[in-house]
Amino acid sequence: MMGRLNVGRVFLLCLAVSMVSQAHAQDRRQVVEPHYPQHICATVTPADQAKLQSVIDHCPAGQAVHFEQGRYVSDPLTVSTGIFLWLDRGAVLNATTNPLAYDRGTGMCGMLDHDGKSCRPFLTFDHTDGGGLVGEGRIDGQGGQLIDGQPVSWWQIARQAQQVGSKQNNPRLIVLDHARNITFYHITLQNAANFHVMADHVRGATFWGVVIDAPADARNTDGIDPASAEDVTIAHSFIRTGDDNVAIKAGANGGGSHYISLTDNHFYWGHGLSIGSETAGGVQHILVKNMVLDGTTSGLRIKSDTTRGGEVQNVTYENICLRSNRWPIFFDTHYEGRDGGNLIPVYRNIALDHLRGSGGEAVFNGYDAKHIMSVFLRDAVVTGVSLKQNYATLIPVVSASGEQTKIFDCTSAWLPFPQ
């Protein structure tokens, strides 16, 4: 049934609950726009590309390796604690297309199997504190280029894996593993062979003014995936990918993801802003504010099932603009029909505060009568939408008496993807 999702009656108790959620649902740090490093330990040119790892290893913490304009091709690199890679405008750091350079010793990188863990990433920040990536240059995973010695690209391998029900061994572009206080600022990441950024067990990370770009049909090229992470901010960034633009995850053995903020971002093609599907560790205290989802397949998405579900709560979406989305809202506890486990997904205290969209299907699919999804809506308007609602309570909220009514529209929100 087509209709209009437009809720706006007065329930002051619901308003109080919603506002408490918003007050605590964000990165706990005082996050401001980053700045470029004050000290450069070394400046490199394309002639130095064979010795990049040595240059990084000899750079003191708190300083930057500065890449001048030009094209670099490198084997995988490990970035030491506190070190910044600073790429000038016109500098392009390309990941090698040689699968042997990424191989973890199994000989399977660039091949299909049922594990998919045989490649190390292109850039690794492992147990580092400080540092990151800055500058107006680009890091290119070359996912669409032919792999050395094979007639296929990384992306074609990923598609083959989907077709035969196996897993691809493709390298992720960047992995932050148990890192702290990481900064990505004004950097472009593109064409990853697999995820662009995996932020695993990160404590304190800022992505500001980042551009992430991959074709819409490049499988498994997620933009930024915080997993079991805390105090992460993604701000003023532009992301289009072949999978989740951002996915917040929390696996059963990794702990929860808490206190994450996404503010003033623009997402284009991709699968949208996702929480899940791994939520067993718990996801809570998430703030999404001033978000534009322009052409994403899903808009706002929370997805899980009983094989990897958990509690998702205290999530606030505020000032959301949606356009050309198949599922502008997709909150599902039976994702892709996969069940059979005992990890029941429970979504509580989800707030939609000032939202505009049109068309598509809005899905609110709770688990069962004992595990009802609760969603608070204030000034949430999606016209011409088909509504699917099961075991979900949609609780209308409006401003308290005397509070000035907010006029919200998306007329000036739409921006072209930066070139």
Side-chain angles (χ1 to χ4, degrees), residues 10-42:
V10 179
F11 286 84
L12 295 182
L13 175 60
C14 299
L15 174 63
V17 173
S18 179
M19 292 303 101
V20 167
S21 168
Q22 181 173 313
H24 298 282
Q26 60 186 359
D27 190 332
R28 293 168 295 186
R29 303 173 300 153
Q30 290 293 111
V31 179
V32 297
E33 183 172 356
H35 54 78
Y36 287 101
Q38 295 182 349
H39 302 286
I40 294 172
C41 64

Side-chain angles (χ1 to χ4, degrees), residues 7 16 42-43 47 83 93 107 119 137 141 162 188 221 273 287 323 377 389:
V7 184
T43 296
I83 305 304
L93 176 58
C119 303
Q162 182 186 38
T188 294
T221 54
L273 171 56
L287 174 64
R323 182 167 72 173
L377 302 103
Q389 180 181 348

Side-chain angles (χ1 to χ4, degrees), residues 208-232:
W208 190 292
V210 173
V211 176
I212 298 180
D213 192 10
D217 61 351
R219 183 171 180 253
N220 292 149
T221 54
D222 290 26
I224 302 172
D225 287 4
S228 301
E230 292 186 357
D231 297 316
V232 175

Side-chain angles (χ1 to χ4, degrees), residues 111-116 157-169 219-220:
M111 310 289 284
L112 303 182
D113 63 16
H114 295 286
D115 187 30
I157 288 177
R159 195 59 66 188
Q160 289 174 1
Q162 182 186 38
Q163 292 167 353
V164 301
S166 62
K167 293 185 178 180
Q168 73 270 20
N169 286 286
R219 183 171 180 253
N220 292 149

Side-chain angles (χ1 to χ4, degrees), residues 131-375:
L133 304 172
V134 301
E136 297 185 0
R138 293 178 288 152
I139 298 175
D140 192 326
Q142 300 205 95
Q145 301 301 311
L146 294 182
I147 300 170
D148 291 6
Q150 298 191 41
V152 294
S153 68
W154 295 113
W155 294 337
Q156 288 172 317
I157 288 177
R159 195 59 66 188
Q160 289 174 1
Q162 182 186 38
Q163 292 167 353
V164 301
S166 62
K167 293 185 178 180
Q168 73 270 20
N169 286 286
N170 288 2
R172 294 170 177 174
L173 188 64
I174 301 167
V175 169
L176 314 177
D177 188 0
H178 289 83
R180 295 178 177 270
N181 305 314
I182 297 294
T183 300
F184 284 28
Y185 182 47
H186 284 171
I187 196 75
T188 294
L189 312 174
Q190 61 188 36
N191 301 326
N194 196 261
F195 297 172
H196 284 80
V197 182
M198 184 71 195
D200 192 14
H201 289 86
V202 168
R203 299 293 181 265
T206 301
F207 302 85
W208 190 292
V210 173
V211 176
I212 298 180
D213 192 10
D217 61 351
R219 183 171 180 253
N220 292 149
T221 54
D222 290 26
I224 302 172
D225 287 4
S228 301
E230 292 186 357
D231 297 316
V232 175
T233 288
I234 302 169
H236 301 280
S237 294
F238 296 79
I239 301 175
R240 61 185 187 187
T241 71
D243 209 299
D244 291 320
N245 301 70
V246 165
I248 301 170
K249 304 173 182 287
N253 299 320
S257 282
H258 308 136
Y259 305 107
I260 296 175
S261 297
L262 293 97
T263 60
D264 300 289
N265 296 298
H266 286 72
F267 292 177
Y268 302 83
W269 60 61
H271 295 181
L273 171 56
S274 296
I275 295 175
S277 52
E278 298 88 350
T279 61
V283 177
Q284 57 184 317
H285 305 305
I286 311 298
L287 174 64
V288 181
K289 187 173 183 179
N290 302 335
M291 168 68 72
V292 177
L293 296 132
D294 190 358
T296 56
T297 307
S298 294
L300 307 176
R301 180 161 72 156
I302 307 176
K303 52 176 182 171
S304 197
D305 57 67
T306 58
T307 68
R308 48 197 162 180
E311 289 191 345
V312 177
Q313 56 186 335
N314 299 337
V315 180
T316 297
Y317 302 97
E318 180 183 358
N319 300 348
I320 308 298
C321 295
L322 296 146
R323 182 167 72 173
S324 301
N325 317 107
R326 188 179 301 173
W327 296 281
I329 303 167
F330 185 91
F331 298 163
D332 189 11
T333 60
H334 298 274
Y335 181 56
E336 293 185 339
R338 291 178 293 195
D339 278 311
N342 60 1
L343 302 174
I344 296 175
V346 180
Y347 306 161
R348 298 193 185 97
N349 201 16
I350 313 299
L352 298 175
D353 187 358
H354 302 300
L355 176 147
R356 297 289 183 271
S358 63
E361 182 180 41
V363 175
F364 300 90
N365 190 22
Y367 186 73
D368 60 19
K370 294 182 179 179
H371 304 88
I372 300 293
M373 179 189 306
S374 63
V375 181

